[in-house]
Amino acid sequence: MTTSTAPDAAARRKRSVKPDNSPLPGQAINTRPMAGDAIYERILSAIMEHRLTPGTKLVEEKLASIFGVNRTRVREVLARLSHEGLLTTIPNRGAFVASPTPDEARAIFAARRILEPALLRHLCEHTSPAHIEQLRAHVAQEAEARERGERRAIIRLSGEFHIRIADLVENPVMSKMMRELASLTCLIIVLYDSPTVPACTHDDHGTIIDAIEQGRTEEAVAAMIGHLHHIEQVLDMSTPPGEEEDLEEMLGMD
Ligand SMILES: [Zn+2]
């Protein structure tokens, strides 16, 4: 890849790989350097909210310009996202938002059905009124987003409900795993979801909270497993999505 230390705006636009939909709206005018963690969170949110869709190329130089940082910092963030399975890095081609295959998607749901009941069992044993309050406040936010019809916020908040449960267990390893699985699930939903079906129904989340609050561990676990089955079942993974075919073809990988 050629380097250019001060590309003008026209040149940047020319190099844009997604001219119809800027990957990170609102960031183009940011000239203050951002920390790696902040850049990571920004890209992660864009993936969670489906602003960055599977197969999108993330150009180091463009991101460096958007965030007002050097390319080394961008590269570190992309390496981290790649390590977490959210990006696919191809030597000499760059980093692309991952496009999980149906088999990978099923493996991710299977992993969630093992991890999340374990998290719930732990939470049920150690729960406090503050935990319940936090989870109910989160579901209230989901309901508000639903009322306003904010699809991006609905999808992000739905995924975050599951991350919050993991965070309440106060095990950083579990939290990290849940974050990665929830982000990958968001990619799967954008690839395979029917546009009319919500990611999580907030009634399910409410049922899970009720069971935690009342110490009904097995009910909480059963509700969670049923909820994850439901999310997987409403996705149409019978045929590979178009984006994936295009990307595979483009990369000569199929
Ligand atoms: Zn859910």
Side-chain angles (χ1 to χ4, degrees):
M1 189 181 291
T2 57
T3 57
S4 170
T5 51
D8 61 30
R12 281 201 299 274
R13 275 197 298 277
K14 200 173 174 184
R15 269 192 292 273
S16 170
V17 293
K18 217 179 169 220
D20 58 328
N21 183 11
S22 176
L24 300 162
Q27 284 302 296
I29 55 168
N30 188 356
T31 52
R32 282 178 301 139
M34 287 177 77
D37 281 351
I39 296 170
Y40 169 86
E41 291 296 337
R42 206 86 205 194
I43 296 175
L44 194 60
S45 291
I47 291 173
M48 297 281 272
E49 294 188 354
H50 297 181
R51 281 177 283 135
L52 273 177
T53 52
T56 304
K57 185 176 181 183
L58 297 182
V59 182
E60 269 180 25
E61 194 173 5
K62 185 174 167 62
L63 291 173
S65 166
I66 288 169
F67 293 120
V69 298
N70 59 35
R71 287 171 59 178
T72 305
R73 186 168 297 176
V74 169
R75 202 170 298 141
E76 286 164 1
V77 172
L78 296 185
R80 181 174 166 192
L81 288 160
S82 199
H83 180 71
E84 292 173 358
L86 291 166
L87 301 182
T88 304
T89 305
I90 309 294
N92 302 320
R93 294 300 305 269
F96 299 81
V97 179
S99 297
T101 64
D103 281 349
E104 287 166 344
R106 289 187 191 96
I108 287 159
F109 278 107
R112 290 188 61 166
R113 282 193 294 270
I114 293 168
L115 176 67
E116 296 193 54
L119 292 170
L120 272 185
R121 282 181 203 285
H122 187 97
L123 186 59
C124 284
E125 281 174 25
H126 300 87
T127 194
S128 73
H131 290 159
I132 301 300
E133 209 174 297
Q134 283 178 42
L135 292 174
R136 291 216 187 277
H138 186 88
V139 170
Q141 272 187 290
E142 285 183 55
E144 282 170 25
R146 227 170 274 274
E147 267 175 34
R148 293 196 297 266
E150 295 172 355
R151 183 172 158 77
R152 283 176 177 170
I154 295 167
I155 293 163
R156 178 174 52 79
L157 288 166
S158 295
E160 283 176 3
F161 173 79
H162 297 258
I163 294 169
R164 277 182 187 265
I165 287 181
D167 287 347
L168 292 176
V169 172
E170 294 182 349
N171 178 326
V173 179
M174 296 283 206
S175 281
K176 185 170 179 290
M177 287 168 73
M178 192 62 244
R179 246 165 245 281
E180 291 174 18
L181 289 169
S183 309
L184 285 165
T185 303
C186 278
L187 284 180
I188 292 164
I189 289 169
V190 76
L191 279 169
Y192 301 105
D193 199 6
S194 141
T196 56
V197 181
C200 294
T201 61
H202 82 285
D203 287 353
D204 281 358
H205 291 175
T207 303
I208 291 165
I209 299 172
D210 289 345
I212 299 169
E213 186 174 29
Q214 293 159 23
R216 291 182 276 119
T217 306
E218 293 313 312
E219 275 182 46
V221 167
M224 179 62 87
I225 291 173
H227 177 59
L228 293 171
H229 267 302
H230 175 75
I231 300 169
E232 184 174 359
Q233 277 166 5
V234 297
L235 301 175
D236 178 10
M237 296 193 284
S238 55
T239 53
E243 288 94 333
E244 181 189 302
E245 285 174 358
D246 292 346
L247 184 60
E248 300 246 305
E249 192 182 331
M250 186 165 67
L251 300 173
M253 302 269 295
D254 57 344

